[in-house]
Amino acid sequence: GAGVSQSPSNKVTEKGKDVELRCDPISGHTALYWYRQSLGQGLEFLIYFQGNSAPDKSGLPSDRFSAERTGGSVSTLTIQRTQQEDSAVYLCASRRGGGATDTQYFGPGTRLTVL
Amino acid sequence: DQQVKQNSPSLSVQEGRISILNCDYTNSMFDYFLWYKKYPAEGPTFLISISSIKDKNEDGRFTVFLNKSAKHLSLHIVPSQPGDSAVYFCATHSGNTPLVFGKGTRLSVIA
């Protein structure tokens, strides 16, 4: 079946511009996560959506970052007034339910480069 | 302050030999542990997991060992194959919390 998809695969932007990154989770998955991986680092948690519950935004690095999940499916991560330190690979993952042992499945990521 | 540490950034192993990747964690509340494998330009792919109630889980060539008292887990790949060359991430969480990842170990299997 279809996996997690993300678009665009690559995004180059100028410092100060806003960007939107899209994630299409696996159909029927109720949980959705955003992570980012900076060069030489592990994956850093950003935000987590579970069903209709309020999202866990505890990983967002600043108020320039926000995310929405419409209709419990597609999610958009928005970065306003991008900075060079925002350059990273942004990864989305989805999970079938809230069970602790449910596996997270990752999309291919969006590589963001801020010039 | 890293909660999950993979102290070896890289590892080279001869084809057919055993690969051992190590991971240490600091929070004793973590109760589920996973290994992900990542190829360039792709997202991480789930490989194998283990619950804190177990000390070993095996799936084909891959075995994960958990030592709770030492807060240490390891992934054994035997026999190693060139296609296993990738970056391996250790990850963990408790309950429904988001995964906490290590920085990864790049495994190179030499033919």
Side-chain angles (χ1 to χ4, degrees):
Chain A
V4 178
S5 61
Q6 292 186 244
S7 60
S9 55
N10 281 284
K11 177 72 177 178
V12 180
T13 190
E14 293 179 346
K15 178 181 172 181
K17 301 279 190 182
D18 297 351
V19 295
E20 284 189 354
L21 313 179
R22 177 186 168 108
C23 171
D24 284 86
I26 294 172
S27 177
H29 280 198
T30 62
L32 187 147
Y33 302 79
W34 283 97
Y35 297 85
R36 74 175 175 182
Q37 185 181 15
S38 302
L39 193 63
Q41 301 297 313
L43 280 73
E44 172 191 4
F45 164 71
L46 297 177
I47 188 169
Y48 162 43
F49 297 89
Q50 174 61 58
N52 294 322
S53 303
D56 175 354
K57 304 179 182 180
S58 61
L60 294 178
S62 79
D63 59 8
R64 296 186 295 105
F65 287 73
S66 63
E68 290 184 340
R69 188 177 186 194
T70 53
S73 181
V74 172
S75 177
T76 302
L77 176 70
T78 301
I79 309 173
Q80 296 179 309
R81 304 181 303 280
T82 52
Q83 303 295 312
Q84 288 181 333
E85 61 263 28
D86 299 335
S87 296
V89 177
Y90 288 81
L91 290 152
C92 174
S94 71
R95 191 168 74 161
R96 182 179 54 196
T101 59
D102 286 342
T103 301
Q104 291 186 28
Y105 295 91
F106 283 83
T110 294
R111 180 175 297 277
L112 175 65
T113 303
V114 182
L115 301 177
Chain B
D1 187 26
Q2 280 186 271
Q3 296 188 72
V4 179
K5 293 182 181 179
Q6 294 179 254
N7 290 321
S8 298
S10 63
L11 174 68
S12 288
V13 172
Q14 204 74 25
E15 180 179 7
R17 306 295 289 268
I18 185 171
S19 296
I20 300 177
L21 296 100
N22 293 302
C23 178
D24 297 289
Y25 61 96
T26 58
N27 189 341
S28 59
M29 296 299 292
F30 290 140
D31 59 10
Y32 197 64
F33 304 87
L34 308 92
W35 285 94
Y36 281 82
K37 175 179 176 180
K38 187 180 184 303
Y39 293 116
E42 294 183 10
T45 302
F46 170 72
L47 192 56
I48 192 169
S49 62
I50 188 168
S51 164
S52 60
I53 62 173
K54 294 186 175 182
D55 55 18
K56 177 182 175 181
N57 187 27
E58 190 173 351
D59 183 2
R61 296 185 297 113
F62 303 91
T63 303
V64 56
F65 295 92
L66 175 63
N67 182 334
K68 285 192 342 185
S69 62
K71 297 191 183 70
H72 177 83
L73 70 157
S74 61
L75 174 68
H76 292 208
I77 307 172
V78 55
S80 301
Q81 299 174 354
D84 297 330
S85 297
V87 178
Y88 290 78
F89 290 97
C90 165
T92 180
H93 67 145
S94 61
N96 293 328
T97 60
L99 289 171
V100 180
F101 285 84
K103 291 187 177 183
T105 296
R106 180 178 302 278
L107 174 66
S108 299
V109 180
I110 304 161

